[in-house]
């Protein structure tokens, strides 16, 4: 095998360029090995193999350059191989790679905690604990809420996604592919309707919240509920922005009833929506907030941040893990947060949102299959429907996504019904590249 190194980061070629059919021969060869070596159930969305990525593009092993409208599912907000992240990781690699924070602590973990306590909403004493994956943060937020309240029931919402580990999977709404055949599920999880303005018959936010609250009070009793966990803007479920007033009404009710409000900002957090967190759009202050994905520029890190009295309720040694808050991931997180701040990426997210929303709202005027264009900042979705009934059109969605892939654009779908195209570009993508990516998606729509 010939060794070759392509350097990613912002210096990577910033244009869409296809030099082979998709997938190219080298990708096909490696994916064949995947089939023989990797569990079939670990799927993949694009039939290409990555070689380098940065800015707004990803280069495959055949030399094809793709426009990245997915950021590895909302992870590389600061761009792949962001120079600040690369530098910080390199420096840390040369010093030490691991001690286990719970054996010998290090400063960067503490600095990440301080920073998260500062940027998360709420002017009260906070504490933070670090973990590896989003699912693990969710599991720990639930542990913390139960320990602090002495209650057991956890309420989750329709269309929610909270992860794939056992408890997180139980919190996730959708059966196939996430839960099918994987039971038994963790007990004391209850599900109520959320707010899905396009599909819930025009309920206002407060009305939708009252419907959920009534169900909880009737079926569980508020006094047995430890926590509600909610994505302030649902991700996998379809980039659903709840109607105005939904989150504040729920927040107010949980406060009155001693119920912990957990905001799962794993997908919607870290500048993605144009503010640090999606709850910030309505001034909602959660008790606990789970974070991952955009936190560390692609390195595995997650966090739970929240009220000191809740976070400190568990016994010493009750929270932990061998790798949680790994020093390399912490170095990456500090550099990524610096990039969000210094490179003004929150503003970039808003600008990206304007471009996406503007273009698709325009297209919608002439294409009734675009049921709704929605979202916030660089987290924008287009819900595709059969125009006569407004019923979901997952087949059209799949055709558009496939067209994009074949034409050099990394594009993801989502939604309970598989009929939502979602845009999650790196915040470092150039306007012109984004416009070109949108153009390909529009072309895909026109030809499908
Ligand atoms: N909470 C809100 O979006 C992860 C899932 C990809 P992990 N979403 C992407 C897939 O197919 O598994 C997610 C999320 C929200 C929790 C999670 C879970 O985060 O880091 O994947 O465990």
């Amino acid at each position: 095998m010939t060794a070759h190194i392509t350097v990613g980061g912002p210096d990577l070629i910033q244009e869409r360029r296809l030099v082979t059919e998709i997938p190219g021969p080298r990708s096909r060869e490696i994916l064949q090995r995947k089939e023989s070596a990797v569990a079939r159930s670990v799927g993949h969305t694009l039939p290409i193999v990555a070689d380098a990525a940065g800015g707004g593009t990803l280069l495959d092993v055949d030399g094809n350059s793709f426009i990245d409208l997915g950021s590895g599912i909302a992870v590389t907000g600061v761009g792949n191989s962001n120079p600040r992240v690369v530098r910080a990781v390199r420096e840390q690699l040369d010093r030490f790679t691991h001690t286990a924070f719970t054996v010998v602590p290090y400063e960067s973990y503490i600095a990440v905690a301080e920073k998260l306590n500062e940027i998360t909403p709420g002017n009260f004493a906070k504490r933070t604990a670090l973990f590896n994956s989003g699912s693990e943060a969710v599991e720990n937020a639930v542990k913390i809420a139960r320990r602090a309240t002495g209650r057991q029931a956890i309420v989750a919402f329709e269309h929610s996604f909270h992860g794939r580990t056992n408890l997180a999977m139980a919190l996730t709404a959708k059966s196939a592919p996430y839960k099918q055949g994987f039971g038994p599920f963790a007990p004391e999880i209850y599900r109520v309707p959320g707010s899905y303005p396009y599909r819930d018959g025009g309920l206002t936010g407060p009305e939708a919240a009252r419907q959920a609250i009534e169900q909880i009070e009737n079926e569980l009793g508020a006094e047995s509920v430890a926590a509600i966990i909610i994505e302030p803007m649902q991700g996998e479920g379809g980039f659903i922005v709840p109607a105005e007033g939904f989150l504040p009404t729920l927040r107010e009710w949980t406060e009155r009833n001693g119920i912990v409000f957990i905001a799962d900002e794993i997908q919607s957090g870290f500048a993605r929506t144009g503010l640090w967190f999606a709850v910030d759009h309505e001034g909602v202050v959660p008790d606990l907030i789970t974070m991952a994905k955009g936190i560390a520029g692609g390195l595995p890190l997650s966090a739970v941040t929240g009220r000191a009295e809740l976070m400190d309720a568990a016994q010493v040694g009750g929270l932990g893990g061998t790798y949680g808050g790994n020093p390399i991931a912490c170095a990456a997180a500090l550099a990524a947060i610096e990039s969000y701040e210094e490179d003004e990426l929150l503003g970039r997210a808003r600008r990206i949102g304007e471009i996406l929303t503007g273009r698709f709202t325009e297209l919608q005027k002439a294409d009734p299959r675009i049921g709704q264009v929605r979202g916030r900042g660089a987290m924008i979705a287009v819900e595709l429907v059969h125009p006569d009934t407004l019923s979901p059109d997952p087949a059209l969605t799949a055709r558009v996504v496939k067209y994009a892939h074949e034409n050099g654009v990394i594009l993801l779908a989502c939604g309970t019904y598989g009929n939502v195209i979602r845009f999650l570009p790196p915040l470092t993508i150039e306007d012109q590249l984004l416009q070109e990516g949108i153009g390909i998606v529009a072309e895909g729509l026109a030809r499908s």
Side-chain angles (χ1 to χ4, degrees), residues 72-73 132-138 160-165 168 172 177-178 231 233-236 264-268 290 292-293 301-302 422:
I73 325 185
N132 303 291
S133 67
S135 300
E136 211 186 340
V138 165
S160 64
F161 184 94
H162 296 293
R164 293 175 181 270
T165 54
T172 293
Y178 306 125
E231 300 162 79
M233 186 179 154
Q234 288 180 315
E236 303 301 308
D264 181 347
E265 293 260 10
I266 287 166
Q267 188 155 169
S268 58
T290 56
K293 291 189 185 281
L301 186 74
S302 67
R422 59 170 147 177

